[in-house]
Structure formats: C-alpha cells, structure tokens
Amino acid sequence: MLADFVARSAYQMGKTPLLPIFAAALGASGAFLGLIVSVSTVTGLFLKPLFGILSDRWGRRIWLLIGTAFFAFMPFLYRFVQTPEQLLALRLAHGLATAIYGPVTLAYIAELSRQQKTAENIGWFQMARSGGYIVGPALAGWLLLSLDAVAVFTLIGIMSCAVFLPILHLPETRPSEGRVDSDPTRRKRKVGSFSARPPMIQHIKNALRDGGQSPAVWLTGGLEAVTFVALYTLKAFLPLYALESGVSVVLVGLFFSLNEAAHVLGKPFCGRLGDRWGYLPAISLGMVVLAAALPLIRVLDQGLLFLLPAALMGLAQALIFPAAIALVSDRISPEHLGAGMGLIGMMQNFGKVAGPVMGGLAIMALGYEATLVCLSVMLAIGAASIWGFFAPRKLINTSP
C-alpha cells in the first residue's frame, strides 16, 4: 500500500495538471496534446498481459523493482525534452511503470491473501492507488504556484525514489507458495510445473491460452471495460453537460470528489461483502447500482440532490472492482495469475481509451440524456448476463 500510494501520487502529479501545461508550453495543441496525455494508457493496453506473464515466470519482486525504476528515473528525463514529439516518446516509455505495476501488484496481493479475505485485501490495497489520484493532482497544482514544470518533474523523480524503500523490504512470493488452485484436478496436473517451466515463447502461449479459456477472465474484464466506458464518458462530458444546464462548476467538482471519496472509502467494506456473498453477486449488484445511478444525473437542476448519484456510483465501483480481481485470482491457475491480472488490466485500459470516444459519438447522435440512458441499459445487460450465462456454470460460489 505504501509503495503504490507514493508511486501513484507522484505519477499523477506528472499527469494532471502538470503534463498538459508542459505540453502546451512546448507547442502541443489540439489532438496532439490529447494524444500526449493519453498515450501512457495505450502502453498498458498492449503490455500489461506481457508483464503479468513475466512476473509469473521470474517472480513478482524483480518486476516490482523494475516498475519502481521506471517510476523513479523517468521523471528526471523531462528536463531534456525540447519538442512535443520527444514528450510523446517519453510518455510512452513512462507508461511502462504503470503497465508493470498494475498486474504485478494485484497478483502479489492475491497470492498473499491465500484465498482468505481476497477481495477485502484488494480493496484495502486499491485505497492506496485511489489515494494517489486524489493527492497527486492537488500537490502538483500547489507546487506549480512557485515552481516551473521541469522543477516539479524533478521533485516527482526524487519522491518516486522513496518507493524503493518499501519494495526492497517485500519478500518474494511464488505462485506455488501463495494461492492454491481452486480446481483439485488441475492442481494435481500442475504439480512440479514451477520447477520445470517451458521455454519463454511457449510459456507466453500457455498463459494467454489459459487466460483466454477462463470464463472468469472474460466476464470480469468485459464487465470492467463496460464500466470504464460509462465512467470515462461521464468524466469527459459531464462538465460540459453541467455548463449547458446552467449548473455551477463547483457543484460538478463536488460531484467527482464525492464519487471518488465513496469509491475509496467503500472498497474494503465492499470487498468484505464480496468475500462473504460471493464475487459474482457483488459485481452484479455494483453494476445494477451504477445502472440505476446514471439516469439520476439528469436532475442537475435539483441542487444538492445532484450529489446522490455521485455517492451511488462510488459505492458501485467499490462493489465491482475488488470482487472482480478476487474472482479472477480464484479461478485462474496460480502459475498464470499475473497473466490473468494483465488481461483484465488490458480490458480496463480499453474502456478508459474507448469511453470518451464512444461517448462523444453517442452524445453527438443521441444527446446527453439519451446517452446516459443507453449507458445505463448497457450496464444492466451486463449484470443480467452474469445470471443468464455464467451463474448456471457455477461461477457464483467462487469466494472461499
């Protein structure tokens, strides 16, 4: 938690509001500026499964150290950037930090849980990650009052170097020592597999095949992608919708703050509910709550009532995300746990990238309110698919 909180806080300092300001100072504008801001997400979209697989093969700790090195040393290179094109290339490389940390940290936490309180532990861990999204932008904005962008990037690098301290104290966790495969037949079949691994290319193929054949991976990854499409559409266009409706930007800011607060604070408790009720019921309940909350955003002119859907959306996210990760960690084979986390992360990043694009096209064609209804229907269909297609296959009782 400590390592991820410091790393993510520093990384977010360099992303918002620092990066757009720095890019604009270099002459970037319009679509190219947007590409610079979003390109690090594209890195994770393609590489998270690979880093998850490599951590399955070589261990989590070495890849946590490599990821920390990218967090720590990349910010010092920003002072040498002279053009928007150079900044784009550096952001592409800097994105490797989160592409590594995303699947590897979740696999590490899942292995430590040993099938006990998995979703709750993931909820506690993800509080640190979400905390970085809150602290980082605020701290960067405060520093920009007295420092230029390059100086802030240097401070980000110094701050990120501190992440080595907790990481170096972490023990190695091997799949064979951590979580136990929930399938006894498959567990017997894999005895000795950790000491005699196949060649690298074959290992990657095996991992992708194992993840691709796991219904839990496609279920949770697909549902999370749908969730992120809805959430990132809202983040991109709600401020414009509010301005058109004559709503104060202060109220919009409170909306997003309350949403994130409910999300962060609710994760451990909702994770515990997932451990007790079963992971799929928690995921489906979260999607139903989110589907019900989206149409309520139309009450923009009702003052503080506008904040009710913000709290409901935060609660929905807290129900969905820890249970989704725990479900995959329970269903995929232990030797390919990192691969499963990487595949989910890839689908999450797809939702983050595609959300604003798809939402923008829908708003142009249908309008704001109709788009909210369509997103709500899409989430409700996702929740219904759990019971209609996956519940009969006995994926419900997957919690310990």
Side-chain angles (χ1 to χ4, degrees), residues 22 25-27 77-87:
F22 185 52
L26 293 174
L77 300 180
Y78 283 82
R79 67 171 49 252
F80 303 108
V81 172
Q82 301 295 326
T83 66
E85 291 76 17
Q86 292 174 350
L87 181 59

Side-chain angles (χ1 to χ4, degrees), residues 160-172:
S160 299
C161 287
V163 180
F164 281 109
L165 294 176
I167 290 296
L168 288 171
H169 284 82
L170 290 176
E172 181 59 275

Side-chain angles (χ1 to χ4, degrees), residues 109-110 112-125 179 267-268 271-276 279 322 326 329 399-400:
I109 297 297
L112 288 179
S113 299
R114 300 175 185 269
Q115 291 188 320
Q116 296 178 358
K117 298 182 179 179
T118 306
E120 182 180 351
N121 289 342
I122 290 171
W124 281 109
F125 172 72
R179 296 183 61 79
K267 277 184 174 180
R272 179 177 296 185
L273 292 181
D275 289 326
R276 290 184 177 181
Y279 302 137
S329 71
S399 59

Side-chain angles (χ1 to χ4, degrees), residues 139-159:
L139 184 56
W142 177 70
L143 289 173
L144 282 171
L145 294 175
S146 55
L147 299 173
D148 61 27
V150 171
V152 176
F153 274 118
T154 301
L155 287 177
I156 290 170
I158 295 171
M159 179 179 173

Side-chain angles (χ1 to χ4, degrees), residues 41-358:
T41 303
V42 177
T43 305
L45 176 64
F46 293 104
L47 294 180
K48 278 185 176 181
L50 175 61
F51 290 129
I53 293 169
L54 293 176
S55 75
D56 289 332
R57 187 177 181 89
W58 294 339
R60 315 291 180 211
R61 189 170 182 268
I62 181 64
W63 283 101
L64 288 175
L65 288 170
I66 294 172
T68 302
F70 276 99
F71 273 121
F73 301 137
M74 283 294 172
F76 293 108
L77 300 180
Y78 283 82
R79 67 171 49 252
F80 303 108
V81 172
Q82 301 295 326
T83 66
E85 291 76 17
Q86 292 174 350
L87 181 59
L88 178 67
L90 183 56
R91 285 301 300 172
L92 195 64
H94 201 172
L96 292 172
T98 54
I100 294 170
Y101 252 54
V104 177
T105 52
L106 290 174
Y108 189 94
I109 297 297
E111 285 175 353
L112 288 179
S113 299
R114 300 175 185 269
Q115 291 188 320
Q116 296 178 358
K117 298 182 179 179
T118 306
E120 182 180 351
N121 289 342
I122 290 171
W124 281 109
F125 172 72
Q126 289 185 333
M127 282 185 68
R129 180 171 300 183
S130 298
Y133 286 88
I134 297 172
V135 172
L139 184 56
W142 177 70
L143 289 173
L144 282 171
L145 294 175
S146 55
L147 299 173
D148 61 27
V150 171
V152 176
F153 274 118
T154 301
L155 287 177
I156 290 170
I158 295 171
M159 179 179 173
S160 299
C161 287
V163 180
F164 281 109
L165 294 176
I167 290 296
L168 288 171
H169 284 82
L170 290 176
E172 181 59 275
T173 303
R174 303 297 300 181
S176 55
E177 298 171 355
R179 296 183 61 79
V180 178
D181 198 330
S182 59
D183 186 336
T185 303
R186 186 170 59 195
R187 185 168 62 241
K188 291 178 181 179
R189 190 168 63 245
K190 294 182 181 295
V191 171
S193 61
F194 297 105
S195 59
R197 288 191 176 90
M200 175 67 74
I201 299 300
Q202 187 60 44
H203 188 136
I204 294 175
K205 291 180 179 178
N206 292 344
L208 293 176
R209 183 173 60 248
D210 190 18
Q213 292 176 348
S214 172
V217 170
W218 290 107
L219 169 67
T220 56
L223 294 181
E224 287 201 353
V226 170
T227 302
F228 275 112
V229 166
L231 293 174
Y232 274 70
T233 297
L234 203 63
K235 287 183 178 182
F237 296 103
L238 180 60
L240 301 178
Y241 181 34
L243 288 175
E244 288 186 6
S245 303
V247 175
S248 170
V249 292
V250 174
L251 195 59
V252 176
L254 286 174
F255 178 95
F256 286 114
S257 295
L258 179 59
N259 170 252
E260 193 61 33
H263 179 201
V264 172
L265 297 177
K267 277 184 174 180
F269 173 73
C270 291
R272 179 177 296 185
L273 292 181
D275 289 326
R276 290 184 177 181
W277 294 351
Y279 302 137
L280 280 176
I283 295 169
S284 60
L285 176 60
M287 296 193 74
V288 168
V289 172
L290 186 57
L294 284 175
L296 296 178
I297 295 173
R298 293 178 296 174
V299 297
L300 289 174
D301 57 348
Q302 300 299 315
L304 293 179
L305 184 62
F306 175 49
L307 300 179
L308 175 62
L312 290 175
M313 289 171 57
L315 178 63
Q317 294 173 71
L319 283 165
I320 293 169
F321 297 137
I325 298 299
L327 173 62
V328 172
S329 71
D330 185 67
R331 298 303 301 175
I332 199 167
S333 62
E335 66 172 331
H336 295 147
L337 179 58
M341 298 301 172
L343 288 169
I344 291 178
M346 178 186 70
M347 287 184 270
Q348 288 178 343
N349 280 28
F350 171 79
K352 294 176 182 179
V353 173
V357 176
M358 296 173 62

